Amino acid sequence: MTDLPGTIDREDGDSGGRWIYRHAGIEAEMTYSRLGQTKIIVDHTGVPDAFRGQNVGLALAQRMVADMRAEGLRVIALCPFVKAQARKHPEWADVIE
């Protein structure tokens, strides 16, 4: 995983949630919605300008993939960033449709 000075946490609810990277009072996020018991839809990745070029989006995607692997869930990527990263990371094909 990408080595960043902040932390990535996950907020998970009945209908969806988000992964949040926090550092120096600034947040980046990747949001998702649940689609039944076996899938989620990742619909947005937002990275503030303060984090640009630091691979924060990639770190969020890596955490999402790791969590979904651990939980045995599949991902439908509606987020353009996640779609692009999935093309660059064929090893994520077991998680991202």
Coordinates of all heavy atoms in Angstrom, one line a residue:
M1 N 0.8 -1.2 0.0 CA 0.0 0.0 0.0 C 0.9 1.2 0.0 O 2.0 1.2 0.4 CB -0.9 0.0 1.2 CG -2.3 -0.4 0.9 SD -3.4 0.0 2.3 CE -4.7 -1.1 1.8
T2 N 0.3 2.3 -0.5 CA 1.0 3.6 -0.5 C 1.2 4.1 0.9 O 0.4 4.0 1.8 CB 0.1 4.6 -1.2 OG1 -0.2 4.1 -2.5 CG2 0.8 5.9 -1.4
D3 N 2.4 4.6 1.2 CA 2.8 5.0 2.5 C 2.5 6.5 2.7 O 3.2 7.4 2.1 CB 4.3 4.8 2.8 CG 4.7 5.1 4.2 OD1 3.8 4.9 5.1 OD2 5.8 5.4 4.4
L4 N 1.4 6.9 3.4 CA 1.0 8.3 3.6 C 1.1 8.6 5.1 O 0.9 7.7 6.0 CB -0.4 8.5 3.1 CG -0.6 8.3 1.6 CD1 -2.1 8.3 1.3 CD2 0.1 9.4 0.9
P5 N 1.3 9.9 5.4 CA 1.4 10.3 6.8 C 0.1 10.3 7.6 O 0.1 10.2 8.8 CB 2.0 11.7 6.8 CG 1.6 12.2 5.4 CD 1.6 11.0 4.5
G6 N -1.0 10.3 6.9 CA -2.3 10.4 7.6 C -2.9 9.0 7.7 O -2.2 8.0 7.6
T7 N -4.2 8.9 8.0 CA -4.9 7.6 8.2 C -6.0 7.5 7.3 O -6.6 8.5 6.8 CB -5.4 7.5 9.7 OG1 -6.4 8.6 9.9 CG2 -4.3 7.6 10.7
I8 N -6.3 6.2 7.0 CA -7.5 5.9 6.2 C -8.5 5.2 7.1 O -8.1 4.1 7.6 CB -7.2 5.1 4.9 CG1 -6.3 5.9 4.0 CG2 -8.5 4.7 4.2 CD1 -5.9 5.1 2.7
D9 N -9.7 5.7 7.2 CA -10.7 5.1 8.0 C -11.9 4.8 7.1 O -12.0 5.3 6.0 CB -11.2 6.0 9.2 CG -10.1 6.4 10.1 OD1 -9.4 5.4 10.7 OD2 -9.8 7.6 10.4
R10 N -12.8 3.9 7.7 CA -14.0 3.6 6.9 C -15.2 3.9 7.7 O -15.3 3.5 8.9 CB -13.9 2.1 6.5 CG -15.1 1.7 5.7 CD -14.9 0.2 5.2 NE -16.1 -0.3 4.6 CZ -16.3 -1.6 4.4 NH1 -15.3 -2.5 4.8 NH2 -17.4 -2.1 3.9
E11 N -16.2 4.5 7.1 CA -17.5 4.7 7.7 C -18.4 3.8 7.0 O -18.5 4.0 5.7 CB -17.9 6.2 7.7 CG -17.0 7.1 8.5 CD -17.3 8.6 8.3 OE1 -18.2 8.9 7.4 OE2 -16.7 9.4 9.0
D12 N -19.1 2.9 7.6 CA -19.9 1.9 7.0 C -21.3 2.0 7.5 O -21.5 1.9 8.8 CB -19.3 0.6 7.1 CG -20.0 -0.5 6.3 OD1 -20.4 -0.2 5.2 OD2 -20.1 -1.7 6.8
G13 N -22.3 2.1 6.7 CA -23.7 2.1 7.1 C -24.5 1.1 6.4 O -24.0 0.3 5.6
D14 N -25.8 1.0 6.7 CA -26.7 0.0 6.0 C -26.8 0.2 4.5 O -26.8 -0.8 3.8 CB -28.1 0.1 6.6 CG -28.2 -0.3 8.1 OD1 -27.3 -1.1 8.5 OD2 -29.1 0.1 8.8
S15 N -26.8 1.4 4.0 CA -27.0 1.6 2.6 C -25.7 2.0 1.9 O -25.6 2.0 0.6 CB -28.0 2.7 2.3 OG -27.6 3.9 2.9
G16 N -24.6 2.3 2.6 CA -23.4 2.6 2.0 C -22.4 3.2 3.0 O -22.6 3.1 4.2
G17 N -21.4 3.9 2.4 CA -20.4 4.5 3.3 C -19.3 5.1 2.5 O -19.5 5.5 1.4
R18 N -18.1 5.3 3.2 CA -17.0 5.9 2.6 C -15.7 5.5 3.3 O -15.7 5.2 4.4 CB -17.2 7.4 2.5 CG -17.1 8.1 3.9 CD -17.4 9.6 3.8 NE -17.2 10.2 5.1 CZ -16.7 11.4 5.2 NH1 -16.4 12.1 4.2 NH2 -16.5 11.9 6.4
W19 N -14.6 5.6 2.5 CA -13.3 5.5 3.0 C -12.8 7.0 3.1 O -13.0 7.7 2.1 CB -12.4 4.7 2.2 CG -12.6 3.2 2.3 CD1 -12.1 2.4 3.1 CD2 -13.5 2.5 1.5 NE1 -12.6 1.1 2.9 CE2 -13.5 1.1 1.9 CE3 -14.4 2.8 0.4 CZ2 -14.2 0.1 1.3 CZ3 -15.2 1.8 -0.2 CH2 -15.1 0.5 0.3
I20 N -12.2 7.4 4.2 CA -11.7 8.7 4.3 C -10.2 8.7 4.7 O -9.8 8.0 5.6 CB -12.5 9.4 5.5 CG1 -14.0 9.2 5.4 CG2 -12.2 10.9 5.5 CD1 -14.4 8.2 6.4
Y21 N -9.5 9.5 4.0 CA -8.1 9.8 4.3 C -8.0 11.2 5.0 O -8.6 12.1 4.4 CB -7.2 9.8 3.1 CG -5.8 10.3 3.4 CD1 -4.9 9.5 4.0 CD2 -5.4 11.6 3.0 CE1 -3.6 9.9 4.3 CE2 -4.1 12.0 3.3 CZ -3.2 11.2 3.9 OH -1.9 11.6 4.2
R22 N -7.4 11.2 6.2 CA -7.3 12.4 6.9 C -5.9 12.7 7.2 O -5.1 11.9 7.7 CB -8.1 12.3 8.2 CG -9.6 12.2 8.1 CD -10.3 12.1 9.5 NE -11.7 12.1 9.3 CZ -12.4 11.0 9.4 NH1 -11.8 9.8 9.7 NH2 -13.7 11.0 9.3
H23 N -5.5 14.0 7.0 CA -4.2 14.5 7.4 C -4.2 16.0 7.5 O -4.8 16.7 6.6 CB -3.1 14.0 6.3 CG -1.8 14.5 6.7 ND1 -1.1 14.0 7.8 CD2 -0.9 15.4 6.1 CE1 0.1 14.6 7.9 NE2 0.2 15.4 6.9
A24 N -3.7 16.5 8.5 CA -3.6 18.0 8.8 C -4.9 18.7 8.6 O -5.0 19.8 8.1 CB -2.5 18.6 7.8
G25 N -6.0 18.0 9.1 CA -7.3 18.6 9.1 C -8.0 18.6 7.8 O -9.0 19.2 7.6
I26 N -7.4 17.9 6.8 CA -8.0 17.8 5.5 C -8.5 16.4 5.2 O -7.8 15.5 5.6 CB -7.0 18.3 4.4 CG1 -6.5 19.7 4.7 CG2 -7.6 18.3 3.0 CD1 -5.3 20.1 3.9
E27 N -9.6 16.2 4.5 CA -10.1 14.9 4.1 C -10.2 14.7 2.6 O -10.6 15.6 1.9 CB -11.5 14.7 4.7 CG -11.6 14.6 6.2 CD -13.0 14.3 6.7 OE1 -14.0 14.3 5.8 OE2 -13.2 14.1 7.9
A28 N -9.9 13.5 2.2 CA -10.2 13.0 0.9 C -11.2 11.8 1.1 O -11.1 11.1 2.2 CB -9.0 12.5 0.2
E29 N -12.0 11.4 0.1 CA -12.9 10.3 0.4 C -13.2 9.5 -0.9 O -13.0 10.0 -2.0 CB -14.3 10.9 0.9 CG -15.1 11.6 -0.1 CD -16.4 12.0 0.4 OE1 -16.8 11.7 1.6 OE2 -17.2 12.7 -0.3
M30 N -13.6 8.3 -0.7 CA -14.2 7.4 -1.7 C -15.5 6.9 -1.2 O -15.5 6.3 -0.1 CB -13.2 6.3 -2.0 CG -13.7 5.3 -3.0 SD -12.5 4.0 -3.4 CE -11.2 4.9 -4.3
T31 N -16.6 7.2 -1.9 CA -17.9 6.8 -1.4 C -18.5 5.6 -2.2 O -18.1 5.3 -3.3 CB -18.9 8.0 -1.6 OG1 -19.0 8.4 -2.9 CG2 -18.4 9.2 -0.8
Y32 N -19.4 4.9 -1.5 CA -20.0 3.7 -2.1 C -21.4 3.5 -1.6 O -21.8 4.0 -0.5 CB -19.2 2.5 -1.8 CG -19.1 2.1 -0.3 CD1 -20.0 1.1 0.2 CD2 -18.1 2.6 0.5 CE1 -19.9 0.8 1.5 CE2 -18.0 2.2 1.8 CZ -18.9 1.3 2.3 OH -18.9 0.9 3.7
S33 N -22.2 2.8 -2.3 CA -23.5 2.3 -2.0 C -23.5 0.8 -2.0 O -22.8 0.2 -2.8 CB -24.5 2.8 -3.0 OG -24.5 4.2 -3.0
R34 N -24.3 0.2 -1.1 CA -24.5 -1.2 -1.1 C -25.5 -1.6 -2.2 O -26.5 -1.0 -2.5 CB -25.0 -1.7 0.2 CG -24.0 -1.5 1.3 CD -24.4 -2.3 2.6 NE -23.3 -2.1 3.5 CZ -22.2 -2.8 3.5 NH1 -21.9 -3.6 2.6 NH2 -21.3 -2.5 4.5
L35 N -25.2 -2.8 -2.8 CA -26.0 -3.4 -3.9 C -26.3 -4.8 -3.4 O -25.5 -5.7 -3.8 CB -25.4 -3.3 -5.2 CG -26.2 -3.8 -6.4 CD1 -27.5 -3.0 -6.6 CD2 -25.4 -3.7 -7.7
G36 N -27.2 -5.0 -2.6 CA -27.5 -6.3 -2.1 C -26.5 -6.7 -1.0 O -25.8 -5.9 -0.4
Q37 N -26.3 -8.0 -0.9 CA -25.4 -8.6 0.1 C -24.0 -8.9 -0.4 O -23.1 -9.1 0.4 CB -26.0 -9.9 0.7 CG -27.3 -9.7 1.4 CD -27.2 -8.9 2.6 OE1 -26.3 -9.0 3.5 NE2 -28.1 -7.9 2.8
T38 N -23.8 -8.8 -1.7 CA -22.5 -9.3 -2.3 C -21.8 -8.3 -3.1 O -20.6 -8.5 -3.5 CB -22.7 -10.5 -3.2 OG1 -23.6 -10.1 -4.2 CG2 -23.3 -11.7 -2.4
K39 N -22.4 -7.1 -3.2 CA -21.7 -6.0 -4.1 C -21.8 -4.7 -3.5 O -22.8 -4.4 -2.8 CB -22.3 -6.0 -5.5 CG -22.0 -7.3 -6.3 CD -22.6 -7.1 -7.7 CE -22.4 -8.4 -8.5 NZ -22.9 -8.4 -9.8
I40 N -20.9 -3.8 -3.9 CA -21.0 -2.4 -3.6 C -20.8 -1.7 -4.9 O -20.2 -2.2 -5.9 CB -20.0 -1.9 -2.5 CG1 -18.6 -1.9 -3.0 CG2 -20.2 -2.6 -1.2 CD1 -17.6 -1.1 -2.2
I41 N -21.3 -0.4 -5.0 CA -21.0 0.5 -6.1 C -20.1 1.6 -5.6 O -20.6 2.4 -4.7 CB -22.3 1.0 -6.7 CG1 -23.2 -0.1 -7.2 CG2 -22.0 2.0 -7.8 CD1 -24.6 0.3 -7.5
V42 N -18.9 1.7 -6.1 CA -18.1 2.9 -5.8 C -18.4 3.9 -6.8 O -18.3 3.8 -8.0 CB -16.6 2.5 -5.8 CG1 -15.7 3.7 -5.6 CG2 -16.3 1.4 -4.8
D43 N -18.9 5.1 -6.3 CA -19.4 6.1 -7.2 C -18.6 7.4 -7.2 O -18.8 8.2 -8.1 CB -20.9 6.4 -6.9 CG -21.1 6.7 -5.4 OD1 -20.2 7.0 -4.7 OD2 -22.3 6.6 -5.0
H44 N -17.7 7.6 -6.3 CA -17.0 8.9 -6.2 C -15.7 8.8 -5.5 O -15.7 8.2 -4.4 CB -17.9 10.0 -5.6 CG -17.3 11.3 -5.3 ND1 -17.0 12.1 -6.4 CD2 -16.8 11.9 -4.2 CE1 -16.4 13.2 -5.8 NE2 -16.3 13.1 -4.5
T45 N -14.7 9.5 -6.0 CA -13.4 9.7 -5.3 C -13.2 11.2 -5.3 O -13.1 11.7 -6.4 CB -12.3 8.9 -5.9 OG1 -12.6 7.5 -5.9 CG2 -11.0 9.1 -5.1
G46 N -13.0 11.8 -4.2 CA -12.8 13.2 -4.1 C -11.5 13.4 -3.3 O -11.3 13.0 -2.2
V47 N -10.5 14.1 -4.0 CA -9.2 14.4 -3.4 C -9.0 15.9 -3.5 O -8.9 16.4 -4.7 CB -8.1 13.6 -4.1 CG1 -6.7 14.0 -3.5 CG2 -8.3 12.1 -4.0
P48 N -8.9 16.6 -2.4 CA -8.6 18.0 -2.5 C -7.3 18.3 -3.1 O -6.4 17.5 -3.1 CB -8.6 18.4 -1.0 CG -9.3 17.3 -0.2 CD -9.0 16.1 -1.0
D49 N -7.2 19.5 -3.6 CA -5.9 20.0 -4.2 C -4.7 19.8 -3.3 O -3.6 19.6 -3.8 CB -6.1 21.4 -4.7 CG -7.0 21.6 -5.9 OD1 -7.2 20.6 -6.6 OD2 -7.4 22.7 -6.2
A50 N -4.9 20.0 -2.0 CA -3.8 19.9 -1.1 C -3.2 18.5 -1.1 O -2.0 18.4 -0.7 CB -4.3 20.2 0.3
F51 N -3.9 17.5 -1.6 CA -3.3 16.1 -1.6 C -2.9 15.7 -3.0 O -2.5 14.6 -3.2 CB -4.4 15.1 -1.1 CG -4.7 15.2 0.3 CD1 -6.0 14.9 0.8 CD2 -3.8 15.6 1.3 CE1 -6.3 15.0 2.1 CE2 -4.1 15.7 2.6 CZ -5.3 15.4 3.0
R52 N -3.1 16.5 -4.0 CA -2.8 16.2 -5.4 C -1.3 15.7 -5.5 O -0.5 16.3 -4.9 CB -3.1 17.3 -6.4 CG -4.5 17.8 -6.4 CD -5.4 16.9 -7.3 NE -6.7 17.4 -7.2 CZ -7.8 16.7 -7.4 NH1 -7.7 15.5 -7.7 NH2 -9.0 17.2 -7.3
G53 N -1.1 14.7 -6.3 CA 0.2 14.2 -6.6 C 0.8 13.4 -5.5 O 2.0 13.0 -5.5
Q54 N 0.0 13.0 -4.4 CA 0.6 12.3 -3.3 C 0.0 10.8 -3.3 O 0.2 10.1 -2.3 CB 0.2 13.0 -2.0 CG 0.8 14.4 -1.9 CD 0.4 15.1 -0.6 OE1 0.3 14.5 0.5 NE2 0.1 16.4 -0.7
N55 N -0.7 10.4 -4.3 CA -1.3 9.1 -4.4 C -2.3 8.8 -3.4 O -2.5 7.6 -3.0 CB -0.2 8.0 -4.4 CG 0.7 8.0 -5.7 OD1 0.1 8.2 -6.8 ND2 2.0 7.9 -5.5
V56 N -3.0 9.8 -2.9 CA -4.1 9.6 -1.9 C -5.2 8.8 -2.6 O -5.8 7.9 -1.9 CB -4.5 11.0 -1.4 CG1 -5.8 10.8 -0.5 CG2 -3.4 11.6 -0.6
G57 N -5.6 9.2 -3.8 CA -6.7 8.4 -4.4 C -6.3 7.0 -4.6 O -7.1 6.1 -4.3
L58 N -5.1 6.7 -5.0 CA -4.6 5.3 -5.1 C -4.7 4.6 -3.7 O -5.1 3.4 -3.6 CB -3.2 5.3 -5.7 CG -2.6 3.9 -5.8 CD1 -3.4 3.0 -6.7 CD2 -1.1 4.0 -6.3
A59 N -4.2 5.3 -2.7 CA -4.3 4.7 -1.3 C -5.7 4.3 -0.9 O -6.0 3.3 -0.4 CB -3.6 5.6 -0.3
L60 N -6.7 5.2 -1.2 CA -8.1 4.9 -1.0 C -8.5 3.7 -1.7 O -9.2 2.8 -1.2 CB -8.9 6.1 -1.3 CG -8.8 7.3 -0.4 CD1 -9.5 8.6 -1.0 CD2 -9.4 7.0 1.0
A61 N -8.1 3.6 -3.0 CA -8.5 2.5 -3.9 C -7.9 1.2 -3.3 O -8.6 0.1 -3.3 CB -8.1 2.7 -5.3
Q62 N -6.7 1.2 -2.9 CA -6.0 0.0 -2.4 C -6.7 -0.4 -1.1 O -6.9 -1.6 -1.0 CB -4.5 0.3 -2.1 CG -3.7 0.5 -3.4 CD -2.3 1.0 -3.1 OE1 -2.1 1.7 -2.1 NE2 -1.4 0.6 -3.9
R63 N -7.1 0.5 -0.3 CA -7.8 0.1 1.0 C -9.1 -0.5 0.6 O -9.5 -1.5 1.2 CB -7.9 1.3 1.9 CG -8.8 1.2 3.1 CD -8.2 0.2 4.1 NE -9.2 0.0 5.1 CZ -9.3 0.7 6.2 NH1 -8.5 1.7 6.5 NH2 -10.2 0.4 7.1
M64 N -9.8 0.1 -0.3 CA -11.1 -0.4 -0.7 C -11.0 -1.8 -1.2 O -11.7 -2.7 -0.8 CB -11.7 0.5 -1.8 CG -13.1 0.0 -2.4 SD -12.9 -1.1 -3.8 CE -12.2 0.0 -5.0
V65 N -10.0 -2.1 -2.1 CA -9.8 -3.4 -2.7 C -9.5 -4.4 -1.5 O -10.0 -5.5 -1.5 CB -8.7 -3.4 -3.7 CG1 -8.3 -4.8 -4.1 CG2 -9.2 -2.7 -5.0
A66 N -8.6 -4.0 -0.6 CA -8.2 -4.9 0.5 C -9.4 -5.2 1.4 O -9.6 -6.4 1.7 CB -7.1 -4.3 1.3
D67 N -10.2 -4.2 1.7 CA -11.4 -4.5 2.5 C -12.4 -5.4 1.8 O -13.0 -6.3 2.4 CB -12.1 -3.1 2.9 CG -11.4 -2.3 3.9 OD1 -10.3 -2.8 4.4 OD2 -11.8 -1.2 4.2
M68 N -12.7 -5.1 0.5 CA -13.6 -5.9 -0.2 C -13.1 -7.4 -0.4 O -13.9 -8.3 -0.3 CB -14.0 -5.3 -1.6 CG -14.6 -3.9 -1.5 SD -16.2 -3.9 -0.5 CE -15.7 -3.6 1.2
R69 N -11.9 -7.6 -0.6 CA -11.3 -8.9 -0.6 C -11.5 -9.6 0.7 O -12.0 -10.8 0.7 CB -9.8 -8.9 -0.9 CG -9.4 -9.1 -2.3 CD -8.0 -9.4 -2.5 NE -7.7 -9.2 -3.9 CZ -6.8 -8.3 -4.4 NH1 -6.0 -7.6 -3.6 NH2 -6.7 -8.2 -5.7
A70 N -11.2 -9.0 1.8 CA -11.4 -9.5 3.1 C -12.8 -9.9 3.4 O -13.1 -10.9 4.1 CB -10.8 -8.6 4.2
E71 N -13.8 -9.1 2.9 CA -15.2 -9.4 3.1 C -15.9 -10.2 2.0 O -17.0 -10.5 2.2 CB -15.9 -8.0 3.2 CG -15.5 -7.2 4.4 CD -16.0 -5.8 4.5 OE1 -17.2 -5.6 4.0 OE2 -15.4 -4.9 5.0
G72 N -15.1 -10.6 1.0 CA -15.7 -11.4 -0.1 C -16.7 -10.7 -0.9 O -17.6 -11.3 -1.5
L73 N -16.6 -9.4 -1.1 CA -17.6 -8.6 -1.8 C -17.0 -8.2 -3.2 O -15.7 -8.1 -3.3 CB -18.0 -7.3 -1.1 CG -18.7 -7.6 0.3 CD1 -19.0 -6.2 0.9 CD2 -19.9 -8.4 0.1
R74 N -17.8 -7.9 -4.1 CA -17.4 -7.5 -5.5 C -17.8 -6.0 -5.6 O -18.7 -5.5 -4.9 CB -18.2 -8.3 -6.6 CG -17.9 -9.8 -6.5 CD -16.7 -10.2 -7.3 NE -16.8 -9.9 -8.7 CZ -15.8 -9.8 -9.5 NH1 -14.6 -10.0 -9.1 NH2 -15.9 -9.5 -10.8
V75 N -17.1 -5.3 -6.5 CA -17.3 -3.9 -6.7 C -17.6 -3.6 -8.1 O -17.0 -4.0 -9.1 CB -15.9 -3.1 -6.3 CG1 -16.0 -1.7 -6.7 CG2 -15.5 -3.4 -4.9
I76 N -18.7 -2.7 -8.3 CA -19.0 -2.1 -9.5 C -18.5 -0.7 -9.5 O -18.8 0.1 -8.6 CB -20.5 -2.1 -9.8 CG1 -21.0 -3.6 -9.9 CG2 -20.9 -1.3 -11.0 CD1 -22.5 -3.7 -9.9
A77 N -17.6 -0.4 -10.4 CA -16.9 0.9 -10.4 C -17.6 1.9 -11.3 O -17.5 1.8 -12.5 CB -15.5 0.8 -10.7
L78 N -18.4 2.8 -10.7 CA -19.0 3.9 -11.5 C -18.1 5.1 -11.5 O -18.1 6.0 -12.4 CB -20.4 4.3 -11.0 CG -21.5 3.2 -11.1 CD1 -22.8 3.8 -10.6 CD2 -21.6 2.7 -12.5
C79 N -17.2 5.2 -10.5 CA -16.3 6.3 -10.4 C -15.2 6.2 -11.5 O -14.5 5.1 -11.6 CB -15.6 6.2 -9.0 SG -14.2 7.3 -8.8
P80 N -15.0 7.2 -12.3 CA -14.0 7.2 -13.3 C -12.6 6.9 -12.8 O -11.8 6.2 -13.5 CB -14.1 8.6 -14.0 CG -15.5 9.1 -13.6 CD -15.8 8.5 -12.3
F81 N -12.3 7.4 -11.6 CA -10.9 7.2 -11.1 C -10.7 5.7 -10.8 O -9.7 5.1 -11.2 CB -10.7 8.0 -9.8 CG -9.4 7.7 -9.2 CD1 -8.2 8.2 -9.7 CD2 -9.3 6.9 -8.1 CE1 -7.0 7.9 -9.1 CE2 -8.1 6.6 -7.5 CZ -6.9 7.1 -8.0
V82 N -11.7 5.1 -10.2 CA -11.6 3.7 -9.8 C -11.5 2.8 -11.1 O -10.8 1.9 -11.2 CB -12.7 3.2 -8.8 CG1 -12.7 1.7 -8.6 CG2 -12.6 4.0 -7.5
K83 N -12.3 3.2 -12.1 CA -12.3 2.5 -13.4 C -10.9 2.5 -14.0 O -10.4 1.5 -14.4 CB -13.3 3.1 -14.3 CG -14.7 2.7 -14.1 CD -15.6 3.3 -15.2 CE -17.0 2.9 -15.1 NZ -17.8 3.4 -16.2
A84 N -10.3 3.7 -14.0 CA -9.0 3.9 -14.5 C -8.0 3.1 -13.8 O -7.1 2.5 -14.4 CB -8.6 5.4 -14.6
Q85 N -8.0 3.1 -12.4 CA -7.1 2.3 -11.6 C -7.2 0.8 -11.8 O -6.3 0.1 -11.8 CB -7.2 2.7 -10.1 CG -6.7 4.1 -9.8 CD -5.3 4.3 -10.1 OE1 -4.4 3.4 -9.8 NE2 -4.9 5.4 -10.8
A86 N -8.5 0.4 -12.0 CA -8.7 -1.0 -12.2 C -8.1 -1.5 -13.5 O -7.5 -2.6 -13.6 CB -10.2 -1.3 -12.3
R87 N -8.1 -0.6 -14.6 CA -7.4 -1.0 -15.8 C -5.9 -1.1 -15.6 O -5.2 -1.9 -16.2 CB -7.7 0.1 -16.9 CG -9.1 -0.1 -17.5 CD -9.3 0.7 -18.7 NE -9.3 2.2 -18.5 CZ -10.3 2.9 -18.1 NH1 -11.5 2.3 -17.9 NH2 -10.2 4.2 -17.9
K88 N -5.3 -0.2 -14.7 CA -3.9 -0.2 -14.4 C -3.5 -1.4 -13.5 O -2.3 -1.7 -13.4 CB -3.5 1.1 -13.8 CG -3.6 2.3 -14.7 CD -3.2 3.5 -14.0 CE -3.3 4.8 -14.8 NZ -3.0 6.0 -14.1
H89 N -4.4 -1.9 -12.8 CA -4.2 -3.0 -11.8 C -5.0 -4.2 -12.1 O -6.0 -4.5 -11.4 CB -4.5 -2.5 -10.4 CG -3.6 -1.3 -10.0 ND1 -2.4 -1.5 -9.4 CD2 -3.8 0.0 -10.1 CE1 -1.8 -0.3 -9.2 NE2 -2.7 0.6 -9.6
P90 N -4.6 -5.0 -13.1 CA -5.4 -6.2 -13.4 C -5.5 -7.2 -12.2 O -6.4 -8.0 -12.2 CB -4.6 -6.8 -14.6 CG -3.3 -6.2 -14.6 CD -3.4 -4.9 -13.9
E91 N -4.6 -7.1 -11.3 CA -4.6 -8.0 -10.1 C -5.9 -7.7 -9.2 O -6.2 -8.4 -8.3 CB -3.3 -7.9 -9.3 CG -3.1 -6.5 -8.6 CD -2.5 -5.4 -9.4 OE1 -2.4 -5.6 -10.6 OE2 -2.0 -4.5 -8.8
W92 N -6.6 -6.6 -9.5 CA -7.8 -6.3 -8.8 C -9.0 -6.9 -9.4 O -10.1 -6.7 -8.9 CB -8.0 -4.7 -8.7 CG -7.0 -4.0 -7.9 CD1 -5.9 -4.5 -7.2 CD2 -6.9 -2.6 -7.8 NE1 -5.2 -3.4 -6.7 CE2 -5.8 -2.3 -7.0 CE3 -7.7 -1.5 -8.3 CZ2 -5.4 -1.0 -6.7 CZ3 -7.3 -0.2 -8.0 CH2 -6.2 0.1 -7.2
A93 N -8.9 -7.6 -10.5 CA -10.0 -8.2 -11.2 C -10.9 -9.1 -10.4 O -12.0 -9.3 -10.7 CB -9.5 -8.9 -12.5
D94 N -10.3 -9.7 -9.4 CA -11.1 -10.6 -8.5 C -12.1 -9.8 -7.6 O -13.0 -10.4 -7.1 CB -10.2 -11.4 -7.6 CG -9.4 -10.6 -6.6 OD1 -8.8 -9.6 -7.0 OD2 -9.3 -11.0 -5.4
V95 N -11.9 -8.5 -7.6 CA -12.8 -7.7 -6.7 C -13.6 -6.7 -7.6 O -14.8 -6.6 -7.4 CB -11.9 -6.8 -5.7 CG1 -12.8 -5.8 -5.0 CG2 -11.2 -7.7 -4.8
I96 N -13.0 -6.0 -8.6 CA -13.7 -5.0 -9.4 C -14.2 -5.6 -10.7 O -13.4 -6.2 -11.5 CB -12.7 -3.8 -9.6 CG1 -12.3 -3.2 -8.3 CG2 -13.5 -2.8 -10.5 CD1 -11.3 -2.1 -8.4
E97 N -15.5 -5.5 -10.9 CA -16.1 -6.0 -12.1 C -15.8 -5.1 -13.3 O -15.7 -3.9 -13.2 CB -17.6 -6.1 -11.9 CG -17.9 -7.2 -10.9 CD -19.4 -7.4 -10.7 OE1 -20.2 -6.8 -11.5 OE2 -19.8 -8.2 -9.9

